[in-house]
Amino acid sequence: MIKKKVVKCPQCGREFSYFESEFRPFCSEKCKMIDLGHWFSESYTIPVKNELGEQIEFIEDLEEEEDIY
């Protein structure tokens, strides 16, 4: 029995057959590499909340931090 499931690529939104793609959950190697590039450049972040429940952002520049010390 061959499973067939059509999904949208999380990167480009193109519909493709999930079980036929060797790059799943992406439709192609290009979309997979674009996503990997986002991880390497740290474009993806997880929001952090303080004890008051407010979302805060951490902005750290390692070069500036090294100059301080």
Side-chain angles (χ1 to χ4, degrees):
M1 179 181 214
I2 298 174
K3 294 182 180 183
K4 189 145 185 148
K5 183 175 185 177
V6 176
V7 296
K8 288 187 176 183
C9 175
Q11 188 61 46
C12 70
R14 190 180 111 204
E15 290 187 353
F16 69 100
S17 177
Y18 182 80
F19 294 107
E20 292 177 9
S21 174
E22 65 181 283
F23 305 107
R24 62 181 173 248
F26 304 102
C27 66
S28 65
E29 184 176 18
K30 178 182 177 181
C31 286
K32 178 180 148 183
M33 298 309 287
I34 290 171
D35 184 73
L36 183 61
H38 287 295
W39 284 107
F40 284 153
S41 68
E42 298 180 358
S43 298
Y44 294 141
T45 60
I46 299 172
V48 178
K49 294 185 179 187
N50 64 11
E51 57 273 352
L52 299 175
E54 299 169 330
Q55 184 171 330
I56 56 174
E57 294 182 26
F58 289 98
I59 302 174
E60 295 180 5
D61 186 357
L62 294 177
E63 292 175 1
E64 287 180 13
E65 190 174 296
E66 289 174 1
D67 290 341
I68 293 172
Y69 299 107

